[in-house]
Amino acid sequence: ATPTSIMAGSGRAAELGILFKGGEHLEATHRIQTIILDKTGTVTNGKPELTDVITTSGTQEDSFLRLVGSVERNSEHPLAEAIVKGIKERGIELLETEQFEAIPGYGVRAIVEGKELLVGTRKLMVQYGVNAEDAFEMMSRLEEAGKTSMLVAIDGTYAGMVAVADTIKDTSKEAVARLKNLGIEVIMITGDNERTAKAIAAQAGIDQVLAEVLPEGKAAEVKKLQAAGKKVAMVGDGINDAPALATADIGMAVGTGTDVAMEAADVTLMRGDLNSIPDAIFMSKRTMANIK
Ligand code: ADP
Ligand code: MG
């Protein structure tokens, strides 16, 4: 494309809140064959809410929530924020913790009132030798409803679970349908479990899901698709999306997300609306058509 058509194309895109970092990215966007969408904060609103609290018999709910909230208060994860908010809304005061540890992709651990608390995935429980198998069926049911469910162990014994629900953006389904109409393969990627991921993806009309991908694994998934000969765009909002955004042929950061994601990306979508992706492809095609 000529410098003039690129300038014009970038300008029109900017009016729609699509900010290309350079003309080469506007040109490259029309070649995209596969788009990977991060789940939380990209396909979904990223504002999960605490929906379910389940405790084993003999575990008192308020003191259980006090311990869980006290640990999660130390975490910056959106799931943790949702849990803490829900617990505070119930008027429960939180306690000081010691030795807080975030275990990326798995959960959190800390000492509260001399007790060891673990909150997180099935694998986290297995890793710490906690037998929580009796809870797995209930957990799966919550996940099939699209909720993210986290198991809680107190001093090595399973004590209950908390679940949070996030909703998909009103516009995600339409945007996915538009991408599919352009002949583009759409894949959703997440660290969340497979059941929850599939339930959320189904709501957005996405049938390909990469779930339980560890934070460092997203870029590896991009590379795999590239090795298969695909031109890949990654769309994400989080710190853990940054390596994948940098690896993709086109990295698109959702402007409502973190600065780290925007720095790593080639394009920023100022509107959280994923319709900006097919819009960007349209702009790119039009710019390329103007060369002739
Ligand atoms: P994502 O950001 O896509 O949800 P993560 O890799 O950050 O993926 O987390 C994967 C899983 O690890 C979560 O779905 C959750 O089960 C567990 N997890 C992560 N952080 C926390 C936390 N602060 N408290 C409890 N569980 C957590
Ligand atoms: Mg995200």
Side-chain angles (χ1 to χ4, degrees), residues 72 75 77 79-80 105-108 119-121 148 150 190-192 215 240:
E72 293 289 6
S75 166
H77 201 283
L79 291 171
Y106 296 96
V108 289
V119 188
T121 61
T148 301
M150 288 151 282
T190 181
D192 208 343
N240 61 358

Side-chain angles (χ1 to χ4, degrees), residues 134-145:
D134 289 348
F136 287 1
E137 198 188 310
M138 170 76 80
M139 189 179 189
S140 298
R141 251 183 283 149
L142 291 165
E143 289 168 346
E144 275 152 18

Side-chain angles (χ1 to χ4, degrees), residues 30 105 127 144 149 214 241 284:
H30 82 283
Q127 199 177 314
E144 275 152 18
S149 181
L214 292 176
D241 298 321
S284 176

Side-chain angles (χ1 to χ4, degrees), residues 50 64-73 75 77 79-80 83 87 100-110 112 116-125 128 130 139 148-154 157-164:
L50 180 63
F64 169 82
L65 286 177
R66 190 188 318 281
L67 294 173
V68 172
S70 303
V71 178
E72 293 289 6
R73 183 164 55 164
S75 166
H77 201 283
L79 291 171
I83 294 169
I87 291 172
F100 173 80
E101 233 185 297
I103 306 143
Y106 296 96
V108 289
R109 180 197 167 270
V112 197
E116 184 195 45
L117 261 283
L118 287 169
V119 188
T121 61
R122 292 173 181 83
K123 282 182 191 156
L124 180 74
M125 297 297 143
Y128 281 83
V130 176
M139 189 179 189
T148 301
S149 181
M150 288 151 282
L151 299 163
V152 179
I154 304 175
T157 302
Y158 169 71
M161 70 181 89
V162 288
V164 307

Side-chain angles (χ1 to χ4, degrees), residues 38-42 237-238 240-241:
D38 157 61
K39 175 173 76 73
T40 310
T42 301
D237 68 326
N240 61 358
D241 298 321

